[in-house]
Amino acid sequence: WVIVTTFGVLLALTIVGVARVEFETDLIKRMAKDNPIRVDSRYFSEHFDGTNYVDIFVETPEANGLINPELLLRISAFQKTLLSLSEVDKVMSIGDLFNQMHRLFNPGDAKGNFQPMTKEDISKYLMMFRMSGNDELKSMIDADNRTMRLRACLNNSGFVAVHRASQKALEAGQAILGDKVQIEATGIMALLGEWLEEFIDGQKRGFIFAFITILIMMSIALRSITGGLWSMLPNMIPLLFLGGYVGWFWDTVDSDVIMVAIVAIGISVDD
């Protein structure tokens, strides 16, 4: 009974470990710590805004829709919400420039209060920015004042983490800005993260399909469903314990690891 009890406890811990497995692909962490690409990435993260970000576009239904003080206040609240996310280090947008200009031209009173921004103020600030000849403004707001971009700098270089952060941003933006504006999150890492999650889901379905197919084949070969199930145990238990181990002791599991399980269960046919 000692052996049976020990096996049962280990099996229970293994099942919990499998449930803890988080799949992720981080190309930077695949490289050695002294790899020039990883060193450069670490330098930019420590001294600048990093190399990982999500661009969030806010589009109004009509031209000059962004010249709206109420909407800009909501966008400012949206930025604060983004900054509260653990994955976000910094958020930049045209709204930051508006606020800086407004504080410069409208000094606060003794209590530090500022006058609310008006449509005329926003139009004036935009005209001043465009007359300055700064091309950076073109990447923050379009010529029709209809679409603007917010850039959220992230502290995680994992594809899945970036994609999930972009989804959180979309949900927060929709809740704060409402249905009158259209919000879209994009960026190469966010797109790769979405594709990666679909790829992992496909691998999981492939593993289940391989297991069922081999089980049917073994049941036919042994002329017994029970015999087919028993024949799969010696091959499944090591995979189960492997999944439990990585679930307990690894923070994330590279998406390529699941290929090992698919190949391993295919070898069970030869056993």
Side-chain angles (χ1 to χ4, degrees):
W1 64 270
V2 175
I3 296 176
V4 174
T5 303
T6 303
F7 179 80
V9 171
L10 288 175
L11 185 62
L13 290 173
T14 296
I15 293 173
V16 174
V18 171
R20 288 165 50 93
V21 171
E22 287 286 340
F23 291 99
E24 180 61 280
T25 293
D26 193 328
L27 296 181
I28 297 296
K29 291 184 179 179
R30 285 185 179 184
M31 304 174 185
K33 291 185 178 180
D34 58 349
N35 185 283
I37 296 178
R38 188 165 182 177
V39 172
D40 291 346
S41 177
R42 186 164 57 246
Y43 178 84
F44 277 99
S45 297
E46 292 174 353
H47 297 86
F48 299 97
D49 296 326
T51 58
N52 308 312
Y53 58 85
V54 171
D55 285 330
I56 304 164
F57 289 88
V58 178
E59 182 179 354
T60 59
E62 68 284 330
N64 295 318
L66 292 172
I67 305 180
N68 184 331
E70 181 182 354
L71 178 58
L72 289 181
L73 284 175
R74 292 187 180 184
I75 291 174
S76 180
F78 176 39
Q79 284 190 237
K80 292 179 180 178
T81 301
L82 290 177
L83 284 171
S84 68
L85 299 178
S86 59
E87 302 91 342
V88 178
D89 282 339
K90 184 177 181 180
V91 182
M92 299 172 288
S93 76
I94 188 67
D96 298 325
L97 296 178
F98 288 152
N99 290 330
Q100 291 176 11
M101 294 292 289
H102 192 62
R103 292 171 187 270
L104 180 63
F105 286 102
N106 299 275
D109 57 24
K111 295 182 180 180
N113 298 319
F114 292 90
Q115 294 180 353
M117 199 180 305
T118 64
K119 288 186 177 182
E120 290 73 17
D121 291 330
I122 299 171
S123 299
K124 178 176 64 177
Y125 301 150
L126 274 172
M127 182 180 66
M128 293 177 63
F129 291 146
R130 285 175 173 139
M131 289 179 62
S132 68
N134 192 339
D135 292 335
E136 187 177 354
L137 184 66
K138 296 179 181 179
S139 65
M140 303 179 74
I141 187 170
D142 68 347
D144 294 331
N145 304 322
R146 180 178 179 180
T147 304
M148 66 172 290
R149 185 194 68 173
L150 297 90
R151 170 160 290 184
C153 302
L154 308 179
N155 51 34
N156 196 317
S157 55
F159 291 161
V160 175
V162 172
H163 171 61
R164 291 177 180 174
S166 70
Q167 295 305 302
K168 289 182 183 179
L170 286 178
E171 293 173 4
Q174 211 66 61
I176 295 173
L177 301 179
D179 299 329
K180 293 184 179 180
V181 298
Q182 184 177 352
I183 307 173
E184 182 178 355
T186 186
I188 185 64
M189 292 191 67
L191 293 174
L192 287 174
E194 182 179 5
W195 297 335
L196 181 61
E197 288 203 290
E198 293 178 359
F199 175 70
I200 291 173
D201 289 340
Q203 285 185 317
K204 291 177 180 178
R205 291 192 295 268
F207 178 80
I208 294 172
F209 176 78
F211 176 83
I212 294 174
T213 302
I214 295 172
L215 174 61
I216 293 173
M217 292 174 59
M218 295 302 295
S219 299
I220 293 174
L222 298 173
R223 298 181 180 180
S224 170
I225 296 178
T226 303
L229 287 170
W230 279 108
S231 69
M232 297 298 291
L233 281 180
N235 301 285
M236 288 302 300
I237 289 177
L239 292 178
L240 195 62
F241 276 98
L242 175 63
Y245 173 82
V246 299
W248 280 110
F249 296 102
W250 292 13
D251 292 332
T252 57
V253 180
D254 197 291
S255 57
D256 293 344
V257 172
I258 199 171
M259 287 297 297
V260 176
I262 297 176
V263 172
I265 197 163
I267 296 175
S268 65
V269 178
D270 298 331
D271 295 340

